[in-house]
Amino acid sequence: MSIQTVPTTPFAGQRPGTSGLRKKVTEFQRPGYLENFVEAIFLIVGSGGGCGLVVGGDGRYFNREAIQTILRMAAAHGVARCLVGRGGILSTPAVSCVIRKRAAFGGIVLSASHNPGGPDGDFGIKYNIENGGPAPEKITEAIHAATRTLNCYHISDCPPVDLDRPGSTRIEGMTVEVIDPVADYAELMARLFDFDAIRALFARGFRMRFDAMHAVSGPYAQAIIEGMLGAPGGTVVNCTPLEDFGGGHPDPNPVNAAELVAHMNGPDAPDLGAASDGDGDRNMIVGRGLAVTPSDSLAIIAANAAVAPGYAKGITGIARSMPTSRAADRVADSLGITCFETPTGWKYFGNLMDANLATLCGEESYGTGSHHIREKDGLWAVLFWLNLLAVRGQSVEEIVRGHWARFGRNYYSRHDYEAVDAGAADALMEALRARLPELAGRTLGSFRVAEADDFVYHDPVDGSVATHQGIRIIMADGSRIVFRLSGTGTEGATIRLYLERYEADPARHGLDTQAALADLAAIADDIAGLRQRTGRAQPSVIT
Ligand code: G16
């Protein structure tokens, strides 16, 4: 065994996006591509001064190869100890949990989240810091800068580590510990939620279907929901993580989890439907005949936080990403706490949680979580809903409608134009930016524009500023049109259009969402020239 210094040259485009570096698997397989990025990580974050590094991924194609490379490079960089999930498996929330519980100095997460996997699919790598959360922009930017000047990387030539055998091995001066991927996480969940009440709920005949979408949350959901909470076998479906997610798109929304939604609309629908994504940090909640929007789910969790023992003392604040609906803001107002508005990307919540300014965080992109870790957490959200249903004894629909009756309903939808020509997408955003000054005060259809800007975030904790975070057109009645470009796609550009309309009157809470938002969608198309500039007659995905 010896440490090799391998000459290399920089690859263009290794700048992390919304959530780490995501590219096609074939790009990551180019000789030196992964190694260069990992070298840059270690150059910036160092070897951890004797603390551990957590490594794991969602089990997608190339996960195992990438882990072996990372272990050999960690050893070459003098890391003392690496904790790896058995089989290379660790969900994103589990990585965050293990970093915090075992006081590791950081973690490397291998996942492209909800993006499809397999040899022609996507792969990704992300660095998390010692609080368990995604590295903030100052670190990701430094890593990117380092990738641009590399001329060599360092790696041990040791043989592969057996990732399937629990226990310790040594590589150079480093210990590799293969750990149970579920245990630490399950223990944390049992402390946050009323497992006795949920067990009693299942014992009363409550039925649920959890669709793990052939991805990483399967083993976690099986161990906790079927194992610890006593749900009948078969409650968790598609529960074995597959390298290509069974050819599916492991994104829990009504389009990609259409099978679950159909089941929940069918004659034998169970009481609760839920799904999680590729790496286990997203969630979708579905009642009989009703899919709960992520924005509503955040608001409902916030309004009912005290039902769960982990939140019985109350919440200090809420944070939501800018495009997420303002349903949570109304709950925050009623509780007399702040609702922070941050740019898209879970990394922006970390400072707020560390400073105890926000307890609950959520995003329209099916992400919800709390300060128990520093990642969004799919199974956590599902367990919260189980706890809520157990305590309240109402159906999902009754809870949602009751919430709207109390706070009003924020009709909400996202329209995605995927794999658009990147130049055309940039031109669309530029043209919109140029129009912002003349939009304020104008009347568009039945709406008056109160404010139109390019969202800028001033972090209240460290004072950092993030610019160009999405274009907001805010109407006088609180309705909103938001445009931004996705930072997680791997093909061309994805334009996201977010539409929101507030309705206070309970008599008008039963409208079809798209019908309720049709005026705003037409205005958005008119202002941005969406159809004309993209050449698309309609969005590729509507959630
Ligand atoms: C990531 C981020 C989220 C973000 C989502 C969509 O989620 O962690 O904060 O909302 O991407 O980002 P974009 O709109 O830029 O594509 P995940 O689940 O992919 O890690």
Side-chain angles (χ1 to χ4, degrees):
M1 260 195 313
S2 68
I3 294 167
Q4 314 284 309
T5 300
V6 183
T8 190
T9 49
F11 291 88
Q14 290 199 320
R15 168 176 263 136
T18 308
S19 187
L21 183 68
R22 289 187 190 168
K23 299 281 177 196
K24 292 278 168 212
V25 165
T26 45
E27 184 91 4
F28 271 101
Q29 285 171 326
R30 291 168 70 185
Y33 190 89
L34 172 69
E35 289 82 348
N36 274 18
F37 192 74
V38 174
E39 181 76 13
I41 292 178
F42 286 121
L43 287 177
I44 298 305
V45 307
S47 62
C51 294
L53 176 73
V54 181
V55 183
D58 61 10
R60 69 178 59 222
Y61 186 81
F62 199 57
N63 191 47
R64 283 174 179 264
E65 291 89 323
I67 290 177
Q68 297 292 350
T69 300
I70 291 164
L71 293 177
R72 287 157 58 210
M73 292 186 70
H77 282 272
V79 172
R81 188 164 157 246
C82 265
L83 299 154
V84 191
R86 191 179 56 243
I89 293 286
L90 276 175
S91 72
T92 294
V95 170
S96 190
C97 167
V98 175
I99 292 174
R100 293 168 71 81
K101 182 169 177 184
R102 305 194 185 212
F105 74 92
I108 296 181
V109 190
L110 302 160
S111 170
S113 187
H114 55 289
N115 296 12
D120 300 319
D122 292 348
F123 192 75
I125 175 167
K126 180 173 81 161
Y127 183 73
N128 280 24
I129 58 175
E130 75 279 357
N131 72 356
E137 230 160 52
K138 61 177 189 296
I139 295 182
T140 55
E141 284 299 305
I143 291 171
H144 175 235
T147 66
R148 298 172 61 160
T149 55
L150 287 180
N151 55 22
C152 67
Y153 62 83
H154 301 88
I155 189 162
S156 162
D157 63 359
C158 68
V161 173
D162 183 351
L163 298 177
D164 297 304
R165 195 168 50 89
S168 297
T169 339
R170 273 190 93 73
I171 309 185
E172 311 291 349
M174 180 177 91
T175 306
V176 179
E177 207 181 311
V178 174
I179 60 168
D180 179 334
V182 178
D184 288 357
Y185 178 84
E187 183 260 335
L188 177 57
M189 293 302 115
R191 275 193 281 127
L192 296 175
F193 298 110
D194 188 344
F195 273 27
D196 287 339
I198 303 174
R199 263 193 292 270
L201 179 74
F202 281 119
R204 291 198 293 272
F206 179 91
R207 290 188 305 135
M208 91 175 278
R209 182 182 178 90
F210 183 107
D211 190 340
M213 303 187 88
H214 306 287
V216 81
S217 61
Y220 295 85
Q222 250 189 332
I224 296 174
I225 297 176
E226 293 182 7
M228 299 167 81
L229 296 171
T235 296
V236 182
V237 298
N238 300 323
C239 54
T240 304
L242 301 177
E243 286 199 330
D244 66 349
F245 307 118
H249 196 145
D251 194 3
N253 61 44
V255 176
N256 292 311
E259 200 194 329
L260 175 69
V261 173
H263 194 78
M264 295 305 296
N265 288 333
D268 190 35
D271 302 287
L272 174 67
S276 191
D277 71 331
D279 61 334
D281 58 0
R282 297 185 176 202
N283 76 92
M284 178 171 70
I285 301 294
V286 195
R288 277 200 198 105
L290 177 107
V292 185
T293 70
S295 300
D296 278 347
S297 180
L298 171 67
I300 291 168
I301 290 174
N304 295 284
V307 299
Y311 307 91
K313 292 197 181 119
I315 55 177
T316 60
I318 308 171
R320 62 160 176 83
S321 66
M322 180 274 281
T324 303
S325 101
R326 300 200 282 196
D329 301 39
R330 296 180 181 275
V331 175
D333 280 351
S334 81
L335 294 172
I337 56 177
T338 303
C339 185
F340 296 88
E341 184 174 46
T342 63
T344 295
W346 204 262
K347 59 192 172 200
Y348 293 104
F349 295 137
N351 278 348
L352 298 172
M353 289 190 275
D354 283 352
N356 205 24
L357 292 171
T359 308
L360 299 173
C361 303
E363 295 189 283
E364 52 66 39
S365 54
Y366 293 83
T368 333
S370 89
H371 66 172
H372 65 290
I373 54 171
R374 293 294 180 272
E375 287 280 5
K376 54 189 184 279
D377 189 344
L379 191 47
W380 172 90
V382 176
L383 292 169
F384 186 95
W385 270 88
L386 279 171
N387 198 150
L388 177 59
L389 293 163
V391 171
R392 292 271 288 271
Q394 289 177 300
S395 69
V396 172
E397 185 175 353
E398 284 165 344
I399 289 175
V400 172
R401 293 200 183 279
H403 186 89
W404 292 340
R406 180 171 168 210
F407 293 97
R409 177 172 182 184
N410 291 67
Y411 282 101
Y412 186 82
S413 180
R414 188 176 99 186
H415 294 191
D416 293 339
Y417 294 78
E418 294 177 323
V420 170
D421 173 73
D426 287 340
L428 180 147
M429 294 299 284
E430 266 321 302
L432 268 174
R433 258 179 216 118
R435 289 196 62 181
L436 288 173
E438 46 127 340
L439 282 177
R442 272 188 57 184
T443 299
L444 301 171
S446 58
F447 299 92
R448 195 174 59 75
V449 180
E451 226 181 303
D453 67 2
D454 191 354
F455 181 55
V456 179
Y457 179 59
H458 297 267
D459 186 309
V461 179
D462 67 11
S464 59
V465 178
T467 55
H468 297 309
Q469 295 300 323
I471 288 173
R472 307 188 290 185
I473 300 165
I474 305 172
M475 310 301 182
D477 71 350
S479 299
R480 292 194 308 168
I481 297 173
V482 172
F483 293 90
R484 63 177 280 281
L485 298 183
S486 159
T488 58
T490 57
E491 229 177 294
T494 293
I495 302 169
R496 301 207 196 280
L497 164 65
Y498 310 82
L499 303 166
E500 175 180 3
R501 177 177 200 156
Y502 179 68
E503 179 58 65
D505 179 3
R508 296 182 52 78
H509 286 170
L511 306 181
D512 168 73
T513 299
Q514 296 308 320
L517 297 169
D519 291 5
L520 287 167
I523 293 170
D525 186 39
D526 204 39
I527 306 173
L530 267 169
R531 277 185 290 183
Q532 184 227 328
R533 284 177 182 272
T534 61
R536 306 280 174 83
Q538 65 222 7
S540 17
V541 178
I542 294 182
T543 56

